[in-house]
Structure formats: structure tokens, C-alpha cells
Amino acid sequence: MPRTLKVDLPGVPRIRALCGDSLGLIKDGLFSSFPALHAAHLEGVITTESDLGAPKVAARWGDPDPQQGVLCMSMSNDGSPGLAIARKSNTVDVIDPVSGLLESRLVVPKSSADVASNRDASDAVCGLHLFGESSSWGKAALTCTELGDAILQRLPELDEEQIPKSENFLSRWSVSQTGTVLCMAVDASEQYAAFGGKGVDLSVWDIKKGSRIWSAKAPHRDNLGLMSPAWVTAVTFLDDDHKKIVVGTGHHQVRLYDTSAQRRPVLAFDYGEAPIRTVTKDPNGTSVYVGTGHGDLACFDMQTGKLIGGFKGKCAGSIRSVVRHPSLPLIASCGLDRYLRIHSTQTRQLLASMFLKQQLVSVLFDARVERAVTEVPSLPDVAEPMAVEPEKPSANGAKSLKEKKSKLKRQAEGAPVFDGQGATEEAAATNATSGQKLKKKSKSSRQDPVVDGVGTEEKATAVNGEKRKKKKKSKSKPAKSI
């Protein structure tokens, strides 16, 4: 049973989080106002709907395979169905996040030998973005390898043997000829992409034209006269416009670039002593969430560069992915310590955590599936007539006989008897008063002498006389003074 932690958060609807790990599994977590938790693998699903809210593994998709390990994941911005997964085998699988069925698959081509021979980078995919059906390219995927090979291709259809029928390359260009590309981000309009890496400074490219429109310039030298080499480890667009970009570096520094102002960062500050592994923007357009290689998670205001606050719950390993919920004040984070965590952005309190056994690489929120899960079936306008079951005979036969005898007795005495069907309030009141009278009569009949016709009447009168004398004596006694 996976180790979990849960804090009740009333009023929060069901939340679905998808996690990918180093063994190629997808863990799909469902949090239901946090009385229920649902977690799953990339190739497997964990869903949890128990009475106490404790999560459990419900199903799995595929078998663990290190060669099929997850490198990054993406979902379309327009809510189109599909979850894109980039694997170590240089393939991108698009699956249904509900059933886990494979919908499409494309192969990322390898770079030429002469380009790869002069560099330490490989053909592993370092960036992935899935375009929805409403985009100008249709349903397509943009990938980038560590060698800087950016490829935009349309998703092919699969045949019966799950082999892609054809591949349609839309555009292909080289981001950098030196260094190793480590991160990629696409803006909200899906027209521009930002790239960066080790030895590769930040640059912004036009996806449609495949041309660079802006590149960063190295920051000023420090107080010792030294210049730190380019080492961009995380990148994100701060707002819907592609002008402001936030990056995290391997020199534990967070930088803010404004492409409309200058090429050097307009704001830079240090955080911790470990490389910045992930940077995620907040929908307000002014703050970001930063995760480090030492497991620190914090929120910063990018207008002033001040720390808003750190998130509770120390992570024992490097944080590799942080995602903000599109509508609720929640963030999800995962990393090498194998835990999926849910925090509140308002109180920064740890709301839920789950141990998922493998090193986690990426996490995403699936708001489209959340709406489908939380739908409640509507009731029909006209209710169907319900079948009335016949009354079962009482198990206690003696009790039923007593009830019949009491009814007959009340009828003989002239008291009305009601069975509860169509009785008015007035009739019920008269029935209650008649019941009280019957009780008084039964009490008085118990006090009267019993005559058996065998000379016992005199004894009964004598006993009654002694009782009256005792009552008179008790009344005549003076009250004790207190």
C-alpha cells in the first residue's frame, strides 16, 4: 500500500494529476476534496475512491521498462483530448488520459553524425509541446533534442498494428550548434518558443518561420570580475505575451528577461545553493514557483524579486516538475524522492502526498478530465411510480396477537381505532386522549379489590381499610423542622 498523507479541504472538487516516472509509467492521481485520491503511472493508472480517502492502485498500463522512461509530458492548451509523452527511445506517444489507449505515435529522427560527434549532448528529447486541434497546424507536436534539433510534425494515424502510417514534417531547424539544450517553453499564443541549456543562452524563435527573433546577452561580471557561463536549466513565459520570460540557472539564480527592453536580465536574484530545476508561472502574471535540486520549493514576486514564501513539507530529493492548477489555488510537485505532493498556493500548506515508488519526472493537471469526472447524472423530470412491496409478517407471532387483542378491546369499549391511513389531526388527538383514558382505567382497575366469589370480598375490604388508616396517620404527622 503506498504511503500517503491527506488534509481535508472542504469545498474543493475532484482534481486529477498525471505523473510520469523514469520507468515509463504514468501515475494518474485523482484528489476528491481530498477525501479521495487517485494516482497512476504513465503506462499505468492509480485511481482511488475508498471510503476513508486513502489512495490505492487501480490499474496499470504496460510494464516497467527503463528504455521507455519518461523524459517530459505535455497537454494541449485548448483542452483537446490526448496526453503526449516523450520517451528515451526517441518516440512520442499520445494516449487517452482516461483509458490509457494509444492514439498516435511519432518518431523523433536522429541528428546527423557530424553534428553529434563534436558535442557531449545526445538525441534525447529535452522539450515537448502538444498542439491542439484548434491550432494553425492542427494536432501536432513540437520536440527539441539536446543537440538543438527542433522539429514540428503533425501527429500520424496508427494502423491495426499500432504503427504510424505516415509522418508529416512541418518544419525543422537547429536551435544551437554548441552546448546542450536542456529546456524549452511555448507561449500562450503558440507562435513563439524559448530555448536554453548548458552553454546555450536564452533565445526566442518564431515557430512558423523557424527563425530566431531574440537572443539574450550574458549578464555583467560579478564583483570579482568573473563571468558565469550560460547554464539555463528551466524557462517559462511569465504572461500571455511573449515579451517577459523567467529562467532558472544552474548557478542557483532566477532571472527575468524583457525582450522589449534589453537583452540582459532586468531582474536577477539567487535562491538556495542548488541548481534551479523547474520554474512555473502563476496565472496572475506576476509570480513564479521555483523548485531546486535540494528539494526546496518557493514562490517569488517577479515585480520586486522578493520571496513570497516557502512551501511546507521538506522534499528529500530534487524537484523535477511543478505545475499550477488552471483554476484552483493548488500546485502539484514531484521529484526524485518518488513523492507526488499537492500544496495550497494561499496558505502554502501541504494538503496531500503520495509515495509512487519510482523516480518522478513530470506532473500535469488534467482539468478536462476533472470536469468529466465531477459530472452528476441529471434526474428525470417525471418520477416513475415505485412498486410497493407487500408487508412481511411479523417474526414475533405473540406480539401480533397482543396488538390484535388490544384493538378488539378498544373497539369493545367504544374508543376509535386508526390505522394511520388518511387520519386527520383531530382524529389523531382524540385517539391519543382515548389512549390516556384507557391507561387511567387500567390503573384504577388494578387498585380495586379482586372478587373471586369464594368469600374473599371481606378480606379485600379489610386490607383496603388498613391502607386508608396508614394514609391518614402519615398525613396527620407534623412536618419536621429543618
Side-chain angles (χ1 to χ4, degrees), residues 25-305:
L25 301 175
I26 294 292
K27 301 180 173 73
D28 174 3
L30 180 64
F31 303 79
S32 174
S33 46
F34 298 34
L37 214 133
H38 166 95
H41 274 124
L42 186 77
E43 300 264 337
V45 170
I46 302 167
T47 187
T48 179
E49 291 280 345
S50 62
D51 296 336
L52 299 177
K56 62 180 179 180
V57 177
R60 267 176 54 153
W61 304 328
D63 298 325
D65 186 4
Q67 301 298 326
Q68 299 294 325
V70 178
L71 298 176
C72 48
M73 301 192 308
S74 176
M75 297 187 73
S76 60
N77 297 335
D78 60 355
S80 300
L83 171 67
I85 306 149
R87 302 183 181 278
K88 292 182 180 179
S89 58
N90 277 37
T91 59
V92 176
D93 294 341
V94 180
I95 65 173
D96 186 355
V98 178
S99 62
L101 298 177
L102 183 65
E103 296 181 348
S104 181
R105 174 179 291 168
L106 58 87
V107 179
V108 180
K110 294 185 178 181
S111 303
S112 58
D114 55 347
V115 175
S117 60
N118 300 327
R119 301 161 70 177
D120 296 332
S122 63
D123 284 319
V125 178
C126 63
L128 173 65
H129 182 80
L130 179 65
F131 294 93
E133 298 175 354
S134 61
S135 65
S136 57
W137 297 281
K139 202 161 187 180
L142 175 64
T143 59
C144 182
T145 63
E146 293 182 358
L147 289 170
D149 195 5
I151 305 172
L152 176 63
Q153 50 185 328
R154 190 173 285 111
L155 296 178
E157 297 180 357
L158 296 177
D159 57 10
E160 295 179 356
E161 298 179 357
Q162 294 187 351
I163 299 175
K165 292 181 180 180
S166 61
E167 295 181 1
N168 188 1
F169 285 86
L170 299 175
S171 61
R172 183 174 182 176
W173 69 93
S174 179
V175 175
S176 177
Q177 299 294 333
T178 59
T180 303
V181 180
L182 299 177
C183 55
M184 181 191 79
V186 178
D187 71 329
S189 64
E190 298 184 335
Q191 298 294 327
Y192 304 96
F195 303 89
K198 192 171 185 178
V200 181
D201 214 339
L202 178 67
S203 60
V204 181
W205 293 71
D206 189 335
I207 299 176
K208 189 174 183 179
K209 299 178 180 179
S211 60
R212 183 172 56 189
I213 62 174
W214 183 87
S215 61
K217 193 175 181 179
H220 295 287
R221 297 178 182 270
D222 58 8
N223 54 358
L224 299 177
L226 302 177
M227 181 179 292
S228 58
W231 190 4
V232 180
T233 55
V235 60
T236 184
F237 287 90
L238 186 59
D239 51 10
D240 295 339
D241 193 4
H242 66 280
K243 300 295 183 182
K244 294 182 180 180
I245 306 171
V246 180
V247 303
T249 68
H251 307 291
H252 55 84
Q253 193 175 60
V254 181
R255 300 173 183 172
L256 172 64
Y257 289 91
D258 190 351
T259 59
S260 62
Q262 61 185 23
R263 294 178 61 189
R264 285 193 171 96
V266 296
L267 178 65
F269 53 89
D270 294 339
Y271 175 57
E273 298 180 354
I276 307 297
R277 292 299 181 185
T278 178
V279 176
T280 304
K281 70 172 183 178
D282 192 88
N284 58 15
T286 59
S287 57
V288 295
Y289 304 98
V290 180
T292 69
H294 283 176
D296 298 322
L297 181 61
C299 182
F300 288 92
D301 185 1
M302 296 309 298
Q303 293 179 334
T304 60

Side-chain angles (χ1 to χ4, degrees), residues 6-13 15 32-35 329-330 344 349 351:
K6 174 181 67 68
V7 176
D8 290 334
L9 189 64
V12 177
I15 299 161
S32 174
S33 46
F34 298 34
L330 300 171
S344 171
Q349 181 186 8
L351 301 178

Side-chain angles (χ1 to χ4, degrees), residues 435-451:
Q436 291 177 0
K437 290 178 180 179
L438 287 172
K439 288 181 181 179
K440 289 179 180 180
K441 286 181 180 180
S442 61
K443 288 181 180 179
S444 61
S445 62
R446 289 175 187 172
Q447 293 177 0
D448 293 338
V450 180
V451 180

Side-chain angles (χ1 to χ4, degrees), residues 361-427:
V361 177
S362 180
V363 60
L364 292 173
F365 279 120
D366 189 2
R368 181 186 62 85
V369 177
E370 290 166 20
R371 290 193 294 271
V373 171
T374 54
E375 286 181 358
V376 179
S378 58
L379 296 175
D381 297 335
V382 180
E384 297 180 357
M386 297 178 63
V388 180
E389 297 181 358
E391 294 183 359
K392 297 181 180 180
S394 177
N396 192 355
K399 188 176 180 181
S400 61
L401 290 173
K402 287 182 180 179
E403 291 176 355
K404 290 180 181 179
K405 288 181 179 179
S406 62
K407 286 182 180 180
L408 292 172
K409 186 176 180 181
R410 288 197 295 272
Q411 288 177 358
E413 293 174 356
V417 180
F418 300 95
D419 57 355
Q421 297 179 357
T424 59
E425 293 181 359
E426 184 178 355

